[in-house]
Amino acid sequence: MTGIEREVVIVGAGPAGISAACVVAETGRSALLIDDNPSPGGQIWREQDRHGSDWQASHWLRRMHLYRVDVMSGATVIDGDPGRRAIVCETANSVSTIRYKKLILATGARELFLPFPGWTLPNVMGAGGLQALVKSGMPISGKRVVVAGSGPLLLAVGAYLKGQGARVLAIAEQASWSRLARFGLGLPKQPYKLAETWQLKRALFRVPYRAGAWVEAALGGTVLERVRLRVSHRYWEAPCDYLAVGYGLVPNIELAVSLGCQLSGGCVQVDSMQQTSVPDILCAGETTGIGGVELALMEGRIAGFSAIGDRLNAQWLFSDRERFRRFARRLQKAFTLREELRHLPSEETLVCRCEDVSYRRIAPMSGWRAAKLHTRCGMGPCQGRVCGPAAEFLFGWNCQSARPPVFPARIDSLIEHVDK
Ligand SMILES: Cc1cc2nc3c(=O)[nH]c(=O)nc-3n(C[C@H](O)[C@H](O)[C@H](O)COP(=O)(O)OP(=O)(O)OC[C@H]3O[C@@H](n4cnc5c(N)ncnc54)[C@H](O)[C@@H]3O)c2cc1C
């Protein structure tokens, strides 16, 4: 096991982690940015390092290179010990202990998947997941795609896939027109969001956008063949090659929880300086609440200033952060998930796809712990990352537990880690 030491270590190289690292590195302090992807950028700026077209991404990635932020890509933080101010990080062929004076967690979010009949068929994917595959080179040109679920990500994904030559048959948003209209009325107060929405709408010209619509079933033998949507009281069915479906985002809190950070409303709790309940551990971006790229950047910068003890510069950004948080709260209200989605799974629908556990077996359980003990739900490779949030939504359980290693790790990494 190798040992590394830095003043500030940042986990997660999305917008929040990159902006935090830049703030630290610009003052000449040593900053190490760790991320499990092959290159920095996180979810939204994936592959921007190689063929970037987003001005914001280019700006921050250039800044990161200019100030020589030390980046460790393809590295997963699997454990940590706040008492020793150390984290354990695994790469393809090594495991290292990294010591820090300050640790910033910017581990982002993942998509929320809700089970419905056929959701485990090949070619049914997460909306952001399909986008990520296409960004990584998967051909989509000429393929028929239905995008469904909830939230602004559906528009971004639909526009991106259409731009790559896909035939986007429909975008199905579960929120009702009335909720969307109320949300839309507030957009002029956020001119940059209005412009973004307008751009997406233009990119999606002639793609039907159905509000109050959701996937009832994905149909097919060994692979997806058709999708059935419910649109208010009617049904709409169409053959398609891919179904991209996501019901919003879930914060990646597992590492923070295993380090002892307190939660509030399912997100990592932070104070005004982005400080968590554990000394010397800060948190920024979607891990503290789903709010979009602007909020992630702002929180990352505040966490960076906070880590180097620059309170004054951090405070300058508080009002902007509050503006973005207000927008995030409106977004959350507009895209609240509807009751009908709780009743989509049939008795046979798998809820935990790692361990093949059906709805019928899980539903009678008294809670998440009982479900794990009696059915092995949440005990597979994803360790409840997919079925945990789904079970929270379906049954109202609290599924927020985490223990090291927070990601699947090699046996030799664990042995070395225990022996250290
Ligand atoms: C699949 C997906 C697609 C999205 N697409 C869009 C889009 O097209 N447009 C848009 O506006 N918004 C999109 N979003 C939302 C967008 O990602 C956020 O608004 C914002 O960019 C979040 O920034 P962040 O820095 O908080 O997190 P992220 O960008 O999620 O970055 C967090 C990073 O931390 C890494 N990480 C997590 N845990 C560990 C660990 N233990 N060890 C090492 N690395 C770790 C993750 O792999 C990731 O690279 C998407 C979100 C998701 C989940």
Side-chain angles (χ1 to χ4, degrees):
M1 167 151 4
T2 52
I4 302 171
E5 193 161 348
R6 290 290 188 286
E7 278 180 69
V8 182
V9 173
I10 301 117
V11 186
I18 290 175
S19 61
C22 287
V23 165
V24 174
E26 279 163 15
T27 63
R29 291 172 172 84
S30 63
L32 173 65
L33 186 56
I34 305 171
D35 195 279
D36 50 5
N37 283 297
S39 57
Q43 299 293 357
I44 183 171
W45 297 339
R46 192 181 289 274
E47 302 292 316
Q48 287 284 330
D49 220 13
R50 281 198 286 148
H51 34 79
S53 51
D54 182 314
W55 69 267
Q56 214 173 24
S58 308
H59 166 80
W60 282 102
L61 290 168
R62 225 185 1 253
R63 220 163 137 175
M64 195 185 81
H65 294 307
L66 184 68
Y67 291 98
R68 296 202 165 83
V69 172
D70 207 353
V71 181
M72 200 170 165
S73 293
T76 309
V77 177
I78 54 171
D79 195 6
D81 181 350
R84 294 174 55 232
R85 291 210 187 91
I87 50 172
V88 179
C89 184
E90 187 190 72
T91 61
N93 43 29
S94 71
V95 59
S96 37
T97 297
I98 300 171
R99 290 181 196 279
Y100 57 83
K101 286 195 179 130
K102 297 278 181 184
L103 177 67
I104 301 178
L105 302 176
T107 49
R110 58 182 180 273
E111 286 183 273
L112 171 64
F113 300 105
L114 297 180
F116 53 85
W119 77 286
T120 52
L121 273 175
N123 291 354
V124 178
M125 300 187 183
L130 179 59
Q131 183 193 40
L133 282 175
V134 176
K135 281 186 182 176
S136 310
M138 190 183 104
I140 197 76
S141 185
K143 301 289 184 199
R144 298 160 303 176
V145 185
V146 172
V147 181
S150 197
L153 183 59
L154 303 187
L155 292 178
V157 170
Y160 178 77
L161 296 177
K162 185 167 177 250
Q164 298 300 307
R167 285 174 56 203
V168 181
L169 304 183
I171 297 183
E173 165 59 61
Q174 61 85 39
S176 64
W177 278 120
S178 56
R179 272 184 187 268
L180 295 181
R182 268 200 299 277
F183 176 69
L185 284 177
L187 272 183
K189 287 190 203 147
Q190 309 271 350
Y192 66 99
K193 284 288 171 198
L194 191 63
E196 202 179 304
T197 312
W198 175 242
Q199 258 176 9
L200 288 172
K201 282 280 182 201
R202 259 184 33 179
L204 288 165
F205 183 58
R206 294 212 168 123
V207 173
Y209 183 82
R210 296 168 193 274
W214 61 94
V215 181
E216 280 268 333
L219 309 165
T222 53
V223 71
L224 173 73
E225 289 164 19
R226 304 175 69 78
V227 60
R228 186 189 302 144
L229 296 185
R230 171 97 176 265
V231 189
S232 314
H233 299 294
R234 289 172 293 113
Y235 288 97
W236 179 90
E237 206 172 297
C240 67
D241 301 302
Y242 290 99
L243 169 60
V245 56
Y247 285 97
L249 303 178
V250 186
N252 290 327
I253 53 167
E254 292 74 13
L255 181 59
V257 170
S258 79
L259 294 173
C261 301
Q262 271 174 19
L263 300 180
S264 166
C267 309
V268 176
Q269 186 186 315
V270 287
D271 67 10
S272 63
M273 295 296 284
Q274 302 294 138
Q275 170 66 51
T276 69
S277 58
V278 178
D280 301 319
I281 301 185
L282 300 106
C283 189
E286 307 266 70
T287 321
T288 69
I290 306 304
V293 61
E294 285 82 10
L295 180 58
L297 283 167
M298 201 54 73
E299 288 194 359
R301 289 171 68 194
I302 295 174
F305 285 124
S306 176
I308 60 174
D310 186 347
R311 233 190 141 78
L312 199 63
N313 268 313
Q315 281 167 344
W316 277 110
L317 304 174
F318 283 5
S319 60
D320 278 339
R321 180 182 59 189
E322 186 45 38
R323 186 160 54 89
F324 294 131
R325 281 187 178 163
R326 263 201 310 274
F327 181 74
R329 285 193 287 273
R330 292 194 49 235
L331 207 65
Q332 218 163 21
K333 201 166 159 196
F335 294 98
T336 302
L337 297 182
R338 59 174 60 231
E339 184 60 25
E340 288 94 324
L341 301 175
R342 288 187 222 278
H343 308 294
L344 290 180
S346 71
E347 293 278 289
E348 303 313 321
T349 304
L350 294 182
V351 175
C352 171
R353 62 191 303 173
C354 296
E355 295 289 327
D356 283 350
V357 188
S358 66
Y359 182 87
R360 186 187 35 191
R361 289 183 56 210
I362 296 178
M365 297 295 148
S366 56
W368 183 235
R369 194 175 147 74
K372 283 174 100 169
L373 286 173
H374 294 287
T375 70
R376 287 198 53 77
C377 174
M379 307 278 271
C382 92
Q383 287 290 291
R385 276 187 173 73
V386 176
C387 59
E392 273 191 39
F393 176 74
L394 292 174
F395 310 116
W397 296 341
N398 177 3
C399 307
Q400 286 155 359
S401 62
R403 64 163 94 153
V406 291
F407 279 103
R410 290 190 306 274
I411 293 288
D412 59 340
S413 299
L414 300 178
I415 294 169
E416 275 196 63
H417 173 44
V418 170
D419 284 352
K420 75 189 180 292

